[in-house]
Amino acid sequence: FYKPSYSTHQGVFAEIPDEVLMTEVLTPTIMQEVESEEMATPDGKKNLILKKTSVGSQVTYESAVTNESGESQIVSEISTTLQEQYHIPYNTWSPDNSYFFLTVEADGQKNYKVFRASGEPFHGDFPFLNISEIFSNQMSDYVIENATGWASPTLIVVNTASIDSAKKVSFWFDVPSQKMIQLGTYFE
């Protein structure tokens, strides 16, 4: 076994002590920040938990639904950047507890995504329905201002404004058909 030594210019040699040879390898610690939001169904039978985990500039949002017996099921896991923020709106749950929707904010714009509480995908194997994307494909003369909540177990009230005028119009977003239905009244 070779033991390292050193010398000076004067010809003096010395062995290096074992304590100096044993160096600790430092592993950098990456800071991970975890935040969560929760919203129970009106009847208290289910609870939606939205967990945000940030590591550097990357963010993962995990939504999970917990039932009365405390069993939890992960519904979705979405990886994105710090610029995209997911939140649980106050009226997130459908009246029958089958669906919930989340608000997504990015670049000053709001988007709304609908999920099945069971975690089952929608037709076409989509994990969620993007209301803003569906709306812009069907109604190009309006922009979404907000989604206020549920009008029935499958209808979300979506408030919009006309691109060309100050006219405001409310729509129902029908979850099963993925269609926008224009209403005669604007819901404030």
Side-chain angles (χ1 to χ4, degrees):
F1 174 70
Y2 170 76
K3 189 166 189 142
S5 61
Y6 70 94
S7 68
T8 65
H9 70 281
Q10 297 173 346
V12 177
F13 292 90
E15 289 186 355
I16 299 174
D18 288 337
E19 299 86 48
V20 175
L21 292 178
M22 293 187 183
T23 58
E24 184 177 341
V25 177
L26 299 177
T27 305
T29 302
I30 298 174
M31 297 302 293
Q32 178 175 313
E33 184 179 328
V34 178
E35 301 172 32
S36 66
E37 298 176 42
E38 293 186 39
M39 182 68 67
T41 57
D43 62 9
K45 292 184 177 183
K46 293 182 180 178
N47 194 40
L48 171 62
I49 302 166
L50 180 64
K51 184 171 78 170
K52 173 185 173 184
T53 305
S54 303
V55 179
S57 64
Q58 293 299 304
V59 179
T60 300
Y61 288 94
E62 178 185 278
S63 60
V65 173
T66 305
N67 63 22
E68 289 178 295
S69 61
E71 297 168 337
S72 185
Q73 177 179 346
I74 295 173
V75 174
S76 72
E77 191 171 301
I78 299 170
S79 295
T80 185
T81 63
L82 288 171
Q83 287 73 33
E84 192 171 65
Q85 300 285 317
Y86 282 69
H87 297 285
I88 300 174
Y90 179 70
N91 200 3
T92 193
W93 283 102
S94 65
D96 65 354
N97 304 340
S98 294
Y99 303 103
F100 64 88
F101 74 98
L102 299 176
T103 302
V104 185
E105 295 181 50
D107 300 324
Q109 302 291 318
K110 282 190 179 180
N111 191 353
Y112 303 91
K113 295 182 179 180
V114 181
F115 299 81
R116 283 196 167 116
S118 65
E120 293 175 52
F122 289 94
H123 179 72
D125 210 29
F126 293 106
F128 57 82
L129 299 177
N130 185 326
I131 296 175
S132 301
E133 185 177 291
I134 292 167
F135 182 82
S136 66
N137 289 335
Q138 294 178 22
M139 305 290 166
S140 59
D141 295 340
Y142 297 92
V143 292
I144 293 179
E145 291 186 327
N146 60 41
T148 64
W150 296 86
S152 79
T154 62
L155 299 173
I156 297 176
V157 177
V158 178
N159 290 327
T160 70
S162 172
I163 293 173
D164 299 331
S165 68
K167 184 178 179 184
K168 294 184 178 240
V169 177
S170 291
F171 289 84
W172 282 335
F173 173 68
D174 181 52
V175 175
S177 71
Q178 300 178 32
K179 300 284 184 202
M180 303 304 299
I181 303 165
Q182 187 171 343
L183 304 175
T185 303
Y186 182 79
F187 289 88
E188 299 229 18

